[in-house]
Amino acid sequence: MPKIKITCNLLLFLAIVFLLSGCWDRSELENKAYVIGLGIDRSKYEGKIKVTMLIANPEVGSMQGGGGSSEKPREIITLEAIDIITAKSTANAVISREISYELLKVIIVSEEFAKDKEFLPTLFTSIQDKEIRLDTFLVVCKEKAYEYFQKNRPRMETRPHKYFQYMIDHGIQNGYIADSTLFRFIKTIERGTDLALAMYTTAEKEKNPPNRGEDEYIAGQLNVFGELDDTQFIGSAVFRNGVMTDILTGQETRIVNILDDTVNIGDILINLPDPFSDKRQQIAVRILKTENNTFKMNLKGAKPKITITIPLKFEIMSNPSMVNFADSEENRQILKKHIAEDTKISFEKFLRKTQTELKGSPLPLSRYALKYFATNQEFEHFNWEKSYLEAEIIIKPDIQIIDYGKQLRPKK
Amino acid sequence: MKQQQVKLGIREYVCIAFLMIGMKGTEDTPSMLFSHVQNAAWMVPLLSGGLFFIPFFLLLKTLSLFQDKNVFEVIQQLLGKYIAFFVSFIIFIMNSYAISLDTRTYTNIIRAYYFTTTPRLVLYGILMVVCVYAAKKGIQRIGSISYILIFYVALSFFIAFWLSLDDSQFASIFPIWGPGKLELLKAAPSGLGLWGEFFILTSLYSFMTSFKDFRNGTWIAFGCVVIQLSLATMLFIALFDKGLVVIGYPFHVAIRYISLGEFLPNIETLFFPIWLSAAFIRFAAFLFINALIFGHLFKIKEYQYLIPSLATIYLLIGMIPETPNDVAQLKEPLRYIAGPTFAAISIILWLTAWFKGEFKHAKNKNNM
């Protein structure tokens, strides 16, 4: 009896050996080439796309202290492929390591391809790759995607994954670019009732950049010079029914981001005309959005009426006309009224543009309309896409000025 | 080798019940509900829970008459030898079908999101081996493990849902009636299948300390699970909106999407082990109960020894469907049949007991 028991136990022990073979999914960091950015362009061949991979070198910048390697931080390859999933193995003809999309940060699509009907099906097949996460950002670039990757040479942040992470995170915090993770983008496309946005970028500076207000640019128009990388992230591409139709400026994107409660923006710095100045001076303010907007709709009548109340907190940062706010309640009221009016005008103007030019709402406004209907059929019958274009939209800014800035003694 | 009989307390019982049925929120159930009644899917657990309450209440009432017997012995006493065998056999077959497909679903999830290149059979085999090991230890051990585990499971679910709130829009659950009130009412009976496990859990009664514990535990677990499933479905609707239709396993897509700030972006590996342990408990308990039924059917006293062979059969059945889509299709009939069958059996039992005058009998006995 004990003999049998010992043999049985030994056999069971031997079974543990089988666990050693459980290494199908073992992956060594050394063996992997992590793709950080993926570019998709139209190909001149039927049924193919041009895939660009930006591969990060994990060795660069990871070394603590001495050592370090003299290798380049990145590698870029472009190839023609049917889809990005098979492109992985094709790319291995030139890349020595196994290609992985696990750390993919951005999918960059050229404007030309985004305006193509083929774009959406291509994107949907691409994200079927199980390694791609839905928090990857979708970005539209002005030039060809492969050109963009080659031209984009950040000086300070040479590690590509850090570069894109910081660039995009801060862009979203400032509200200049749309928060277009694949998750949000696809959700909006699936919903089908609103416009989808994707952040806009370029590595090409325009020859004669226009001179505008601080945020009324789209990528490439900003006139920055010095010793720097030419890449700009500002503005957003508008997709209607899955095809890119228009571009919003940084300012318009900010308005969308303020109106859309699902975007987490930080504090925004902007200039507003100074109500006390007759020389068209501007004051600098910081806008904080800490509370959610309220959406009220009256969808019963012939013309739907939508009222949006936006609670915003303002901090006055500069005071070019040297008005005394500390002692004068009247001045404070004038400023508050002025800011409210200014906000109302610019927001309403933009929303009118979405109705007439963009032909749809760039924020998930249709979701707020849902609760006014009892069943899905009623909502479909209402036909949101059409009704939105005729709707009367009223913005009610709920302004609170929480700080008037440093009070300097007015000039005598 | 007789195992020491330690009775199952109320808290262990509630934990087992919660893990067995609450886990449904983390697999394909929410998207299945969504595909039927869209944005009103969160109401189905509530409605069908309410509907299931009636037969289940009657069942517990009937069981209370025979305080020293478990549900299968009661069936035998009330329906006679042959019909009872037939009824129990149907229950056994349905459970076997369910456990085969459910274990396969879990294997699919693991393979789809975590171990993509490991052969399916290996994953499936390991899952089954672990469950068999746990099930063979007996229901008391399973109970203790679930009691240890429940806190972490609840915490991890809570954290996952809380982190996903950032991207959720609760307005998506409107229009409140979804595809219409009538459609919703039609969907409620098919949702009965969600609660089938409660019926078979009653067979654990003979392991419980007292009938009172058993009854109270069942109602506590029932209430918790109904709310949990409904809430989970609601959160997934708020998070994915219409996209839920194309997402097979929303919980896993959600934990892959959420992040703890910039510093910890990919945190699904924190949730996965906890989810996996909960899955082990779920199937261990399921296997144990199935072996119990089988033992009862064929008068096998040492039913623990049946567990490995039953598990092997389930593994072989589970390997039959070729793709995850086939699994979903095969599950569909079970959803429609299981719930109403369990409800019908409960009602029949109660009616028989009533006709046979068992209730009066019990009353007289109490009065005496």
Side-chain angles (χ1 to χ4, degrees), chain A residues 101-162:
Chain A
Y101 293 148
E102 261 155 16
L103 298 182
L104 189 69
K105 274 258 142 49
V106 286
I107 293 183
I108 297 190
V109 182
S110 63
E111 193 178 328
E112 179 202 9
F113 190 55
K115 283 179 174 161
D116 200 315
K117 273 204 185 94
E118 282 301 299
F119 163 68
L120 206 61
T122 312
L123 184 75
F124 273 83
T125 29
S126 302
I127 56 166
Q128 274 173 10
D129 188 304
K130 277 169 185 146
E131 284 173 0
I132 295 181
R133 286 158 190 278
L134 289 176
D135 54 2
T136 309
F137 290 99
L138 181 75
V139 183
V140 175
C141 74
K142 193 175 164 194
E143 61 270 60
K144 297 253 163 56
Y146 61 91
E147 284 172 5
Y148 174 82
F149 277 123
Q150 282 167 22
K151 269 189 208 151
N152 168 31
R153 294 196 168 275
R155 304 233 170 188
M156 302 271 280
E157 214 61 67
T158 49
R159 288 179 296 162
H161 65 287
K162 283 285 162 201

Side-chain angles (χ1 to χ4, degrees), chain A residues 19 22-26 102-103 105 130-136 165-166 169-170 173 179 181 183-184 187 190-191 260-262 264 364 367-368 370-377 379, chain B residues 37-39 112-119 122 126 166-169 171-172 174-181 238-243 246-247 253 256-259 262 265-266 268:
Chain A
L19 292 181
C23 295
W24 284 280
D25 282 292
R26 183 196 55 167
E102 261 155 16
L103 298 182
K105 274 258 142 49
K130 277 169 185 146
E131 284 173 0
I132 295 181
R133 286 158 190 278
L134 289 176
D135 54 2
T136 309
Q165 184 184 332
Y166 291 155
D169 282 353
H170 295 144
Q173 253 173 38
D179 182 3
T181 53
F183 180 81
R184 289 173 60 90
K187 195 157 100 170
E190 290 280 349
R191 211 187 281 141
D260 188 347
D261 283 334
T262 54
N264 267 331
R367 296 299 97 180
Y368 299 103
L370 288 178
K371 65 176 172 214
Y372 297 95
F373 300 92
T375 63
N376 291 348
Q377 288 85 345
F379 181 68
Chain B
V37 284
Q38 289 93 49
N39 48 353
Y113 293 105
Y114 304 97
F115 297 99
T116 43
T117 48
T118 308
V122 176
I126 294 175
D166 241 11
D167 287 284
S168 306
Q169 218 180 353
S172 305
F174 294 107
I176 194 90
W177 299 115
K181 287 178 199 169
L239 185 62
F240 295 109
D241 210 320
K242 289 238 160 64
V246 288
I247 292 167
V253 178
R256 277 168 70 82
Y257 174 67
I258 55 177
S259 64
E262 274 168 45
N266 306 334
E268 76 266 19

Side-chain angles (χ1 to χ4, degrees), chain B residues 108-228:
Chain B
N108 286 340
I109 294 175
I110 297 169
R111 201 172 128 76
Y113 293 105
Y114 304 97
F115 297 99
T116 43
T117 48
T118 308
R120 192 196 302 141
L121 184 65
V122 176
L123 285 177
Y124 205 163
I126 294 175
L127 175 74
M128 278 316 215
V129 166
V130 176
C131 294
V132 166
Y133 181 75
K136 263 210 85 186
K137 289 281 173 196
I139 197 72
Q140 293 83 6
R141 302 273 182 94
I142 299 175
S144 327
I145 307 170
S146 18
Y147 181 63
I148 299 170
L149 214 64
I150 194 90
F151 171 72
Y152 300 98
V153 173
L155 187 74
S156 80
F157 283 6
F158 181 75
I159 293 176
F161 289 142
W162 183 60
L163 286 176
S164 61
L165 276 185
D166 241 11
D167 287 284
S168 306
Q169 218 180 353
F170 277 94
S172 305
I173 63 167
F174 294 107
I176 194 90
W177 299 115
K181 287 178 199 169
L182 199 67
E183 288 292 314
L184 258 182
L185 283 180
K186 272 192 219 157
S190 70
L192 280 178
L194 292 174
W195 318 114
E197 273 91 345
F198 273 111
F199 184 92
I200 58 165
L201 267 174
T202 53
S203 61
L204 288 185
Y205 165 57
S206 44
F207 297 92
M208 296 283 294
T209 40
S210 70
F211 185 78
K212 209 175 132 211
D213 274 1
F214 167 69
R215 194 188 53 206
N216 292 348
T218 307
W219 288 130
I220 293 172
F222 189 63
C224 286
V225 170
V226 168
I227 292 170
Q228 188 254 6

